[in-house]
Amino acid sequence: MPIRLIIHGGAWSIPDEMDEAHRGGVRNALMTVYPKLQKGMSALDAVELAVNLLEEDPTFDAGRGAFLNEKGEIELDAIIIDGATLSFGAVAAVQNLLHPVSLARKIMEETEHSMLVGQGAQAFAQRIGFETLEPQALLTDRELAYYHQINKDPDFKPHHPFEPLPSDTVGAVAMDHLGNLAAATSTGGTPRKMAGRVGDSPIIGAGAYADNESGAVSTTGWGEAIMKVLLSKTVCDKMLHMKAHQAAKEGIDILHKKGKGFGGVIGINTLGDYAFAYNTEKMAWGWMDENNEAQVRIR
Ligand code: GLY
């Protein structure tokens, strides 16, 4: 089977001065994880590791560097899915953790459940020995300044149909040597969201999906719109009937027309063909090509 890895780091009008940091973060995740996939790492381990690296990178809205909510706090959402079994783990509105995607995986593998939120998720994290950080450990000067800036704007809303807002959610999709597919997505949500707001990222079929019989997808963009059209599942279903790239494109068309929103998708079908599409000005994303070289794009 072909070994595949594709990664995204947000889709929006990324300011030009942030291009290089986005490219660098995506490239670092590709170059670190792909050699391990080639040596036999599972797709599930690969997407978790790739997303962990992006959660550690303060460039992105995931883990360190996440947006602040209306209370000036960081609440994180994440999901991981195993395409071989359809098992998934998800967390929503968790605080003070660098790697919510790894907590999601523990929920998948060590509990009877698939999704934990808020205090219940925190309690589980503590019980299994996850390191709890001080809130400042995830906070960047950039996001604190942005929070103060948008707080002064009486017209700022965390979601508008058809209005581009920052969206630096991260995600990864992989196929391993056994042909297994996996997907993972992690986010701090939208700037100045209501406390307790949960977007698409941890919602199965919206923020990510993986099924060895159709494909695997991770999304980024406007959560309220992406949830309306279950974007990841929509694209995976389309992969059964058309080329991977066309499935991604049609998924984004549906997001635009029916969801009235903006965003991006990356994916891999059962043949190992890559897919991507977005209707934002830019999307930070990259894949490993046939020559084992990292291809990184921001448009
Ligand atoms: N796509 C991330 C969010 O809306 O929360």
Side-chain angles (χ1 to χ4, degrees):
M1 293 303 295
I3 292 172
R4 298 285 189 250
L5 181 63
I6 185 166
I7 287 171
H8 70 73
W12 59 293
S13 298
I14 298 166
D16 291 346
E17 63 273 18
M18 290 178 74
D19 281 2
E20 210 36 61
H22 282 75
R23 277 202 201 96
V26 170
R27 183 181 300 280
N28 175 49
L30 286 168
M31 306 266 290
T32 305
V33 177
Y34 192 71
K36 296 180 194 298
L37 258 178
Q38 286 180 303
K39 288 191 185 128
M41 180 181 255
S42 70
L44 205 54
D45 284 343
V47 295
E48 180 184 359
L49 177 58
V51 169
N52 280 168
L53 292 166
L54 297 164
E55 288 170 334
E56 287 163 19
D57 187 328
T59 305
F60 303 104
D61 174 32
R64 183 176 297 127
F67 295 132
L68 299 172
N69 69 12
E70 63 179 2
K71 289 168 68 181
E73 295 176 350
I74 289 173
E75 290 187 331
L76 303 170
D77 306 333
I79 190 167
I80 188 164
I81 307 158
D82 179 359
T85 61
L86 305 190
S87 297
F88 76 98
V91 289
V94 291
Q95 295 189 305
N96 307 331
L97 298 176
L98 182 57
H99 294 309
V101 78
S102 295
L103 183 60
R105 181 154 180 196
K106 291 283 186 194
I107 293 166
M108 176 174 91
E109 293 182 340
E110 296 184 12
T111 79
E112 302 299 310
H113 306 302
S114 298
M115 186 172 195
L116 293 176
V117 305
Q119 289 182 352
Q122 304 283 149
F124 175 64
Q126 279 178 357
R127 199 158 75 228
I128 62 170
F130 258 64
E131 187 187 5
T132 306
L133 304 171
E134 294 300 316
Q136 290 80 1
L138 301 179
L139 181 64
T140 58
D141 291 344
R142 178 195 67 226
E143 291 313 323
L144 190 58
Y146 183 54
Y147 173 72
H148 289 311
Q149 178 197 322
I150 59 183
N151 267 345
K152 286 190 205 132
D153 178 357
D155 297 326
F156 183 87
K157 289 200 170 62
H159 172 72
H160 284 282
F162 287 126
E163 184 170 317
L165 287 169
S167 174
D168 269 331
T169 296
V170 304
V173 178
M175 174 181 268
D176 63 26
H177 67 291
L178 299 173
N180 286 321
L181 289 163
T185 303
S186 182
T187 191
T190 47
R192 220 179 75 179
K193 64 186 180 182
M194 289 176 69
R197 176 266 188 190
V198 176
D200 62 302
S201 299
I203 306 299
I204 181 84
Y209 197 69
D211 180 348
N212 280 3
E213 294 184 3
S214 59
V217 165
S218 170
T219 67
T220 179
W222 283 237
E224 281 71 10
I226 292 170
M227 284 188 282
K228 282 182 190 167
V229 299
L230 286 177
L231 184 57
S232 293
K233 181 71 163 74
T234 296
V235 173
C236 283
D237 287 350
K238 284 182 176 290
M239 282 177 170
L240 288 167
H241 309 294
M242 61 187 74
K243 289 193 183 304
H245 184 68
Q246 184 65 18
K249 193 180 161 315
E250 291 195 13
I252 289 295
D253 287 347
I254 291 171
L255 174 69
H256 197 80
K257 288 193 192 107
K258 297 187 79 162
K260 299 185 172 31
F262 288 88
V265 293
I266 56 166
I268 301 172
N269 70 5
T270 54
L271 302 173
D273 297 331
Y274 290 121
F276 75 94
Y278 54 98
N279 64 344
T280 44
E281 185 191 344
K282 297 180 182 177
M283 178 165 80
W285 63 288
W287 73 100
M288 294 303 295
D289 72 11
E290 300 293 339
N291 302 317
N292 298 336
E293 297 205 355
Q295 298 292 336
V296 180
R297 303 281 184 272
I298 203 146
R299 283 185 198 273

